[in-house]
Amino acid sequence: MRMLPGRSLRQVFLAGLLLAVLSGGLFARELPDLPPLTTLPDAGPLPGKFVWADLFSSDFDTSRDFYRQLFDFDWQPVGGLPERYGIFLLDGEPVAGLSFHQGANPAVPYGHWVHYLSVPDVEQATGQVVAGGGAQVLAPRTIDRRGDFSIVAGPDDELLGLIRSSAGDPADDRARPGEWVWWELFTPDSEASVSLYRDICDCLLEKRENGEERYLMVSQDQLRAGINPLADGGSPGWLGFVRVASVSDKVVQAQALGGRLLFAPDPEVLSGRIAVIEDPTGASVGLITWDLAASEAAQ
């Protein structure tokens, strides 16, 4: 599967997010408590694992209602911020955040998911991204009970959150329907991305040949994500996949809720158990029926 054409992340997101940061926005100096990523008493760090995601949206209410209905999420607003923020929950456990963010063009709806990668040291990893040709979008900072985090743009403008959880990372349990289960990076320079991500999270990058060159990120003997060549005209970026019971049913539901189908289930791609949709604000999210072991699905 190849990423479909999209807008320039540098033009649309970086400028707007930097403006929000500089003017106060979501990331003001004083932040309220957020729930820890895990409440397990013996949880440790799992560098190389994606452990959180934030959706930045110019239409807060539409985004909240879309995902609550699509994935049966509960909702917890978070007060005390200059901009609206809240948390999606599944069976009482936080799975993602939603923040109001105005895009570069107020007349055009804007939405974008930022996924957070666990790293041993956020400040060091942020510096490594910048040294590797990327950019610092949000400087490293600390939130009580959540830990250290930053937002960066890789050398190909792919946006990424970096985090070191103060409570440890969620365990490697099998994702339930409604939880994030897989991530793919689409980039025009796979080799540069492989070198960068190997360094910042001390991951193994396994090369796979299956019609086209791709890599798999591995840490703690677990498959974490894929790195793929970018299709002509596409925008570099990370795409997260949510596990669902039925891809076809969720595609129909997403369209009924105002979403758009970007990549339809294809019998030649994971036997039709995968799709990509766009929510009403333009944020992309993958859907996958994950009934195989990770090692089987990777093949």
Side-chain angles (χ1 to χ4, degrees):
M1 183 181 67
R2 292 172 175 267
M3 180 68 102
L4 300 176
R7 293 164 291 180
S8 166
L9 295 181
R10 176 73 72 181
Q11 294 176 350
V12 176
F13 189 85
L14 291 182
L17 184 53
L18 283 168
L19 177 62
V21 171
L22 293 174
S23 62
L26 168 64
F27 303 106
R29 187 171 299 273
E30 296 297 328
L31 289 171
D33 283 345
L34 295 177
L37 294 185
T38 180
T39 56
L40 294 175
D42 56 349
L46 297 173
K49 179 178 181 177
F50 283 89
V51 295
W52 187 250
D54 278 318
L55 173 62
F56 294 86
S57 170
S58 64
D59 191 336
F60 191 93
D61 292 338
T62 294
S63 294
R64 178 197 60 206
D65 295 345
F66 177 85
Y67 288 100
R68 287 186 68 183
Q69 294 179 68
L70 185 62
F71 297 129
D72 296 321
F73 286 152
D74 292 321
W75 174 251
Q76 177 182 318
V78 176
L81 288 168
E83 300 288 3
R84 296 176 71 186
Y85 187 77
I87 295 172
F88 295 114
L89 302 105
L90 183 65
D91 297 331
E93 297 293 330
V95 293
L98 169 62
S99 172
F100 173 79
H101 170 68
Q102 185 63 65
N105 182 354
V108 178
Y110 174 80
H112 191 85
W113 281 100
V114 173
H115 299 275
Y116 291 78
L117 181 69
S118 176
V119 296
D121 187 303
V122 169
E123 187 168 352
Q124 178 179 328
T126 301
Q128 288 173 309
V129 172
V130 173
Q136 174 181 280
V137 178
L138 175 71
R141 58 199 59 203
T142 301
I143 297 180
D144 291 343
R145 297 204 303 159
R146 179 56 62 91
D148 304 328
F149 75 101
S150 70
I151 297 178
V152 297
D156 295 320
D157 292 349
E158 71 272 17
L159 289 162
L160 178 72
L162 303 173
I163 190 167
R164 168 74 175 188
S165 169
S166 56
D169 293 325
D172 284 323
D173 296 327
R174 188 176 182 86
R176 299 167 294 171
E179 290 183 318
W180 300 101
V181 67
W182 189 249
W183 294 262
E184 295 277 350
L185 172 63
F186 296 88
T187 171
D189 191 342
S190 297
E191 296 292 341
S193 295
V194 165
S195 177
L196 175 64
Y197 288 102
R198 180 187 291 123
D199 289 343
I200 65 175
C201 64
D202 194 25
C203 296
L204 296 175
L205 274 296
E206 298 182 356
K207 188 174 183 178
R208 299 290 175 92
E209 297 284 353
N210 186 20
E212 60 183 15
E213 183 179 291
R214 73 187 302 255
Y215 293 85
L216 294 175
M217 289 176 57
V218 182
S219 69
Q220 297 86 44
D221 296 322
Q222 298 285 331
L223 293 174
R224 300 299 188 189
I227 296 178
N228 302 276
L230 181 69
D232 294 339
S235 294
W238 282 99
L239 176 66
F241 289 81
V242 175
R243 185 184 177 196
V244 297
S246 169
V247 166
S248 57
D249 288 349
K250 286 300 178 184
V251 165
V252 171
Q253 186 181 2
Q255 292 173 311
L257 292 170
R260 186 165 71 97
L261 181 61
L262 297 182
F263 182 84
D266 184 339
E268 296 185 1
V269 182
L270 202 62
S271 301
R273 293 191 293 258
I274 192 169
V276 180
I277 60 170
E278 185 179 78
D279 73 20
T281 67
S284 299
V285 61
L287 306 173
I288 185 169
T289 300
W290 195 273
D291 294 328
L292 301 175
S295 58
E296 293 178 274
Q299 298 174 22

